[in-house]
Amino acid sequence: MSSAVLALVVGVSSPATAAQAADAPAVGAKSAYLIDSTGTVHLGKRETRRLPVASLVKVMTAYVVLREASLSDTITITAADVSHATSNGATTAALKKGERLTVRDLLYGLMLPSGADAANALARRYGPGKTAFVAKMNRTARSLGLADTRYTNPDGLPTPGSGGYSTAVDQVRLAQRALASDTFKTVVGSKVHKVAKSSVHRAHTWTNSNKLLTRADGVLGVKTGYTRAAGYCLLFAGERGGREVVGVLLGDQNERRFSTAEQLLDYAEEQIALG
């Protein structure tokens, strides 16, 4: 069987040898992409298709904040921050009006429990205002060469009449850039983050929604996401064969995304070993 035919059988659109394509794990997600730090593409499936990416949007939110803010900056949580998340049925960091938290802690609240309240507070501060912040997100996307990415908010919630989108390729490229930040890598690689109670904020314990961190060794992060339109998404990274391997699954099933990501990291390690 030719390598082209094998590629169609496994849903891989990027060039691959017959042996590689035959060994590639089955990918049920609508779109997928897997690359390592040398630029070797290990798998692609409809990787340039524009799709909603749900809370993977928060990767760009964190990236912009890290360029704009000092980690010691303090932000006061407003009623609007809280109601934005609760009224939209979004995941939250359980923030309360009047709390004052550092940017460092809010980044954990943004990325681990995927708090839309934290996203709203950060965007409000560093736009300033959400409209200006989203404009910064889109300018940053263009500066990074993410030509098939458009943001409409800082949290990935559905926006009636003006939906945002990205591609598997663009999401992996963004993750590679974001992971160059030690702070970002520390945040997304944390299984749990605790904020001790103080005179200006409540105690918080945030658990990372990325189950891959507890399923495999050498996992670096990165972010989960879900909306009805996007399905279950997972942007992931790990150290394999001395390289940083980054991949994404868009439009997958809940538990399957984690098992598939684990298989893809193992597959990349095998291919790296083969040279």
Side-chain angles (χ1 to χ4, degrees):
M1 186 181 292
S2 71
S3 61
V5 173
L6 277 167
L8 288 173
V9 170
V10 297
V12 177
S13 57
S14 296
T17 67
Q20 288 173 323
D23 293 338
V27 175
K30 290 180 181 178
S31 177
Y33 192 59
L34 184 73
I35 191 171
D36 70 37
S37 49
T38 69
T40 300
V41 176
H42 295 284
L43 182 137
K45 177 182 178 181
R46 303 186 187 94
E47 65 268 31
T48 60
R49 181 181 178 185
R50 291 179 173 180
L51 293 169
V53 297
S55 284
L56 302 195
V57 163
K58 295 186 178 86
V59 174
M60 179 60 87
T61 299
Y63 186 78
V64 171
V65 168
L66 284 168
R67 288 158 58 102
E68 297 272 326
S70 293
L71 294 176
S72 60
D73 288 353
T74 301
I75 298 177
T76 301
I77 304 305
T78 68
D81 298 328
V82 177
S83 64
H84 170 73
T86 56
S87 65
N88 285 289
T91 50
T92 80
L95 304 179
K96 298 296 183 182
K97 175 186 174 182
E99 285 191 274
R100 293 172 55 199
L101 291 129
T102 65
V103 166
R104 184 189 296 274
D105 283 333
L106 284 173
L107 286 170
Y108 283 97
L110 175 75
M111 301 302 287
L112 272 61
S114 199
D117 42 5
N120 201 77
L122 290 165
R124 174 175 53 78
R125 172 70 174 270
Y126 294 106
K130 285 195 290 184
T131 299
F133 189 84
V134 171
K136 288 181 179 179
M137 294 171 72
N138 284 313
R139 285 198 301 272
T140 303
R142 291 193 295 272
S143 73
L144 296 177
L146 311 183
D148 291 304
T149 296
R150 177 175 178 267
Y151 296 104
T152 58
N153 57 46
D155 49 43
L157 289 169
T159 304
S162 58
Y165 54 79
S166 188
T167 66
V169 169
D170 279 4
Q171 286 300 293
V172 166
R173 287 175 178 168
L174 173 60
Q176 288 177 311
R177 293 297 295 266
L179 286 165
S181 162
D182 289 339
T183 298
F184 181 87
K185 186 178 288 188
T186 297
V187 170
V188 300
S190 299
K191 297 174 184 176
V192 177
H193 181 71
K194 295 184 178 182
V195 180
K197 183 179 180 180
S198 78
S199 60
V200 295
H201 58 70
R202 303 161 62 237
H204 293 279
T205 299
W206 295 313
T207 301
N208 202 322
S209 59
N210 184 1
K211 296 180 182 179
L212 191 61
L213 286 163
T214 60
R215 295 183 60 143
D217 294 330
V219 175
L220 303 175
V222 175
K223 187 73 186 72
T224 62
Y226 171 77
T227 63
R228 185 174 299 175
Y232 289 93
C233 302
L234 178 64
L235 184 57
F236 60 95
E239 295 285 353
R240 293 291 185 273
R243 303 179 190 177
E244 183 178 274
V245 179
V246 183
V248 70
L249 298 164
L250 303 177
D252 206 347
Q253 296 175 3
N254 188 6
E255 292 302 319
R256 187 176 68 185
R257 59 183 164 165
F258 300 112
S259 59
T260 300
E262 186 175 4
Q263 292 168 27
L264 287 173
L265 287 174
D266 290 342
Y267 172 67
E269 185 170 27
E270 292 169 2
Q271 299 309 303
I272 291 168
L274 289 172

PDB file of all heavy atoms in Angstrom, residues 96-111:
ATOM      1  N   LYS A  96     -14.414  36.024  44.409  1.00  0.00           N
ATOM      2  CA  LYS A  96     -15.481  36.803  45.029  1.00  0.00           C
ATOM      3  C   LYS A  96     -15.194  38.298  44.885  1.00  0.00           C
ATOM      4  O   LYS A  96     -14.038  38.723  44.902  1.00  0.00           O
ATOM      5  CB  LYS A  96     -15.613  36.450  46.521  1.00  0.00           C
ATOM      6  CG  LYS A  96     -15.979  35.004  46.789  1.00  0.00           C
ATOM      7  CD  LYS A  96     -17.355  34.652  46.250  1.00  0.00           C
ATOM      8  CE  LYS A  96     -17.726  33.216  46.590  1.00  0.00           C
ATOM      9  NZ  LYS A  96     -19.054  32.819  46.025  1.00  0.00           N
ATOM     10  N   LYS A  97     -16.259  39.061  44.781  1.00  0.00           N
ATOM     11  CA  LYS A  97     -16.143  40.517  44.677  1.00  0.00           C
ATOM     12  C   LYS A  97     -15.333  41.069  45.855  1.00  0.00           C
ATOM     13  O   LYS A  97     -15.539  40.682  47.013  1.00  0.00           O
ATOM     14  CB  LYS A  97     -17.535  41.151  44.678  1.00  0.00           C
ATOM     15  CG  LYS A  97     -17.523  42.666  44.694  1.00  0.00           C
ATOM     16  CD  LYS A  97     -18.938  43.222  44.831  1.00  0.00           C
ATOM     17  CE  LYS A  97     -18.925  44.732  44.997  1.00  0.00           C
ATOM     18  NZ  LYS A  97     -20.291  45.287  45.187  1.00  0.00           N
ATOM     19  N   GLY A  98     -14.401  41.967  45.533  1.00  0.00           N
ATOM     20  CA  GLY A  98     -13.605  42.625  46.565  1.00  0.00           C
ATOM     21  C   GLY A  98     -12.278  41.958  46.880  1.00  0.00           C
ATOM     22  O   GLY A  98     -11.411  42.570  47.515  1.00  0.00           O
ATOM     23  N   GLU A  99     -12.125  40.720  46.462  1.00  0.00           N
ATOM     24  CA  GLU A  99     -10.832  40.064  46.682  1.00  0.00           C
ATOM     25  C   GLU A  99      -9.738  40.765  45.879  1.00  0.00           C
ATOM     26  O   GLU A  99      -9.975  41.240  44.775  1.00  0.00           O
ATOM     27  CB  GLU A  99     -10.888  38.607  46.218  1.00  0.00           C
ATOM     28  CG  GLU A  99     -11.638  37.669  47.107  1.00  0.00           C
ATOM     29  CD  GLU A  99     -11.396  36.218  46.698  1.00  0.00           C
ATOM     30  OE1 GLU A  99     -12.110  35.718  45.814  1.00  0.00           O
ATOM     31  OE2 GLU A  99     -10.478  35.606  47.270  1.00  0.00           O
ATOM     32  N   ARG A 100      -8.543  40.780  46.431  1.00  0.00           N
ATOM     33  CA  ARG A 100      -7.382  41.327  45.727  1.00  0.00           C
ATOM     34  C   ARG A 100      -6.347  40.215  45.582  1.00  0.00           C
ATOM     35  O   ARG A 100      -5.872  39.673  46.581  1.00  0.00           O
ATOM     36  CB  ARG A 100      -6.797  42.513  46.498  1.00  0.00           C
ATOM     37  CG  ARG A 100      -7.706  43.733  46.538  1.00  0.00           C
ATOM     38  CD  ARG A 100      -7.167  44.791  47.471  1.00  0.00           C
ATOM     39  NE  ARG A 100      -5.788  45.153  47.109  1.00  0.00           N
ATOM     40  CZ  ARG A 100      -4.938  45.759  47.944  1.00  0.00           C
ATOM     41  NH1 ARG A 100      -5.309  46.035  49.188  1.00  0.00           N
ATOM     42  NH2 ARG A 100      -3.713  46.070  47.536  1.00  0.00           N
ATOM     43  N   LEU A 101      -6.046  39.901  44.319  1.00  0.00           N
ATOM     44  CA  LEU A 101      -5.106  38.817  44.042  1.00  0.00           C
ATOM     45  C   LEU A 101      -4.019  39.296  43.104  1.00  0.00           C
ATOM     46  O   LEU A 101      -4.237  40.191  42.277  1.00  0.00           O
ATOM     47  CB  LEU A 101      -5.837  37.627  43.423  1.00  0.00           C
ATOM     48  CG  LEU A 101      -6.779  36.896  44.379  1.00  0.00           C
ATOM     49  CD1 LEU A 101      -8.146  36.739  43.776  1.00  0.00           C
ATOM     50  CD2 LEU A 101      -6.199  35.540  44.741  1.00  0.00           C
ATOM     51  N   THR A 102      -2.838  38.675  43.211  1.00  0.00           N
ATOM     52  CA  THR A 102      -1.749  39.035  42.306  1.00  0.00           C
ATOM     53  C   THR A 102      -1.991  38.440  40.924  1.00  0.00           C
ATOM     54  O   THR A 102      -2.752  37.465  40.762  1.00  0.00           O
ATOM     55  CB  THR A 102      -0.403  38.509  42.825  1.00  0.00           C
ATOM     56  OG1 THR A 102      -0.432  37.075  42.828  1.00  0.00           O
ATOM     57  CG2 THR A 102      -0.097  39.043  44.210  1.00  0.00           C
ATOM     58  N   VAL A 103      -1.329  39.012  39.950  1.00  0.00           N
ATOM     59  CA  VAL A 103      -1.391  38.477  38.593  1.00  0.00           C
ATOM     60  C   VAL A 103      -0.891  37.040  38.574  1.00  0.00           C
ATOM     61  O   VAL A 103      -1.466  36.179  37.895  1.00  0.00           O
ATOM     62  CB  VAL A 103      -0.574  39.354  37.624  1.00  0.00           C
ATOM     63  CG1 VAL A 103      -0.328  38.643  36.294  1.00  0.00           C
ATOM     64  CG2 VAL A 103      -1.295  40.676  37.380  1.00  0.00           C
ATOM     65  N   ARG A 104       0.162  36.769  39.324  1.00  0.00           N
ATOM     66  CA  ARG A 104       0.682  35.400  39.384  1.00  0.00           C
ATOM     67  C   ARG A 104      -0.411  34.419  39.785  1.00  0.00           C
ATOM     68  O   ARG A 104      -0.618  33.391  39.132  1.00  0.00           O
ATOM     69  CB  ARG A 104       1.848  35.304  40.362  1.00  0.00           C
ATOM     70  CG  ARG A 104       2.498  33.919  40.402  1.00  0.00           C
ATOM     71  CD  ARG A 104       3.505  33.815  41.537  1.00  0.00           C
ATOM     72  NE  ARG A 104       4.616  34.730  41.353  1.00  0.00           N
ATOM     73  CZ  ARG A 104       5.695  34.456  40.631  1.00  0.00           C
ATOM     74  NH1 ARG A 104       5.792  33.288  40.003  1.00  0.00           N
ATOM     75  NH2 ARG A 104       6.668  35.342  40.527  1.00  0.00           N
ATOM     76  N   ASP A 105      -1.131  34.731  40.876  1.00  0.00           N
ATOM     77  CA  ASP A 105      -2.184  33.828  41.329  1.00  0.00           C
ATOM     78  C   ASP A 105      -3.342  33.774  40.329  1.00  0.00           C
ATOM     79  O   ASP A 105      -3.912  32.692  40.091  1.00  0.00           O
ATOM     80  CB  ASP A 105      -2.699  34.249  42.705  1.00  0.00           C
ATOM     81  CG  ASP A 105      -1.738  33.859  43.822  1.00  0.00           C
ATOM     82  OD1 ASP A 105      -0.990  32.880  43.651  1.00  0.00           O
ATOM     83  OD2 ASP A 105      -1.728  34.548  44.866  1.00  0.00           O
ATOM     84  N   LEU A 106      -3.688  34.894  39.737  1.00  0.00           N
ATOM     85  CA  LEU A 106      -4.786  34.893  38.769  1.00  0.00           C
ATOM     86  C   LEU A 106      -4.449  34.075  37.526  1.00  0.00           C
ATOM     87  O   LEU A 106      -5.343  33.494  36.900  1.00  0.00           O
ATOM     88  CB  LEU A 106      -5.159  36.326  38.382  1.00  0.00           C
ATOM     89  CG  LEU A 106      -5.972  37.086  39.426  1.00  0.00           C
ATOM     90  CD1 LEU A 106      -6.141  38.545  39.003  1.00  0.00           C
ATOM     91  CD2 LEU A 106      -7.334  36.433  39.643  1.00  0.00           C
ATOM     92  N   LEU A 107      -3.178  33.996  37.168  1.00  0.00           N
ATOM     93  CA  LEU A 107      -2.790  33.139  36.038  1.00  0.00           C
ATOM     94  C   LEU A 107      -3.061  31.672  36.362  1.00  0.00           C
ATOM     95  O   LEU A 107      -3.501  30.906  35.489  1.00  0.00           O
ATOM     96  CB  LEU A 107      -1.321  33.354  35.683  1.00  0.00           C
ATOM     97  CG  LEU A 107      -1.005  34.659  34.951  1.00  0.00           C
ATOM     98  CD1 LEU A 107       0.505  34.868  34.861  1.00  0.00           C
ATOM     99  CD2 LEU A 107      -1.622  34.683  33.552  1.00  0.00           C
ATOM    100  N   TYR A 108      -2.816  31.277  37.608  1.00  0.00           N
ATOM    101  CA  TYR A 108      -3.178  29.918  38.015  1.00  0.00           C
ATOM    102  C   TYR A 108      -4.697  29.737  37.976  1.00  0.00           C
ATOM    103  O   TYR A 108      -5.198  28.690  37.523  1.00  0.00           O
ATOM    104  CB  TYR A 108      -2.654  29.620  39.416  1.00  0.00           C
ATOM    105  CG  TYR A 108      -1.179  29.311  39.478  1.00  0.00           C
ATOM    106  CD1 TYR A 108      -0.253  30.300  39.817  1.00  0.00           C
ATOM    107  CD2 TYR A 108      -0.704  28.028  39.220  1.00  0.00           C
ATOM    108  CE1 TYR A 108       1.107  30.012  39.888  1.00  0.00           C
ATOM    109  CE2 TYR A 108       0.654  27.739  39.293  1.00  0.00           C
ATOM    110  CZ  TYR A 108       1.559  28.737  39.619  1.00  0.00           C
ATOM    111  OH  TYR A 108       2.903  28.457  39.676  1.00  0.00           O
ATOM    112  N   GLY A 109      -5.441  30.731  38.458  1.00  0.00           N
ATOM    113  CA  GLY A 109      -6.897  30.657  38.415  1.00  0.00           C
ATOM    114  C   GLY A 109      -7.441  30.621  36.999  1.00  0.00           C
ATOM    115  O   GLY A 109      -8.498  30.052  36.742  1.00  0.00           O
ATOM    116  N   LEU A 110      -6.718  31.238  36.085  1.00  0.00           N
ATOM    117  CA  LEU A 110      -7.089  31.242  34.667  1.00  0.00           C
ATOM    118  C   LEU A 110      -6.846  29.886  34.018  1.00  0.00           C
ATOM    119  O   LEU A 110      -7.702  29.364  33.292  1.00  0.00           O
ATOM    120  CB  LEU A 110      -6.268  32.308  33.936  1.00  0.00           C
ATOM    121  CG  LEU A 110      -6.420  32.395  32.418  1.00  0.00           C
ATOM    122  CD1 LEU A 110      -7.739  33.049  32.043  1.00  0.00           C
ATOM    123  CD2 LEU A 110      -5.238  33.168  31.812  1.00  0.00           C
ATOM    124  N   MET A 111      -5.669  29.298  34.284  1.00  0.00           N
ATOM    125  CA  MET A 111      -5.229  28.136  33.521  1.00  0.00           C
ATOM    126  C   MET A 111      -5.571  26.787  34.155  1.00  0.00           C
ATOM    127  O   MET A 111      -5.783  25.811  33.437  1.00  0.00           O
ATOM    128  CB  MET A 111      -3.720  28.217  33.290  1.00  0.00           C
ATOM    129  CG  MET A 111      -3.278  29.464  32.541  1.00  0.00           C
ATOM    130  SD  MET A 111      -4.059  29.661  30.914  1.00  0.00           S
ATOM    131  CE  MET A 111      -3.210  28.387  29.984  1.00  0.00           C
TER     132      MET A 111
END
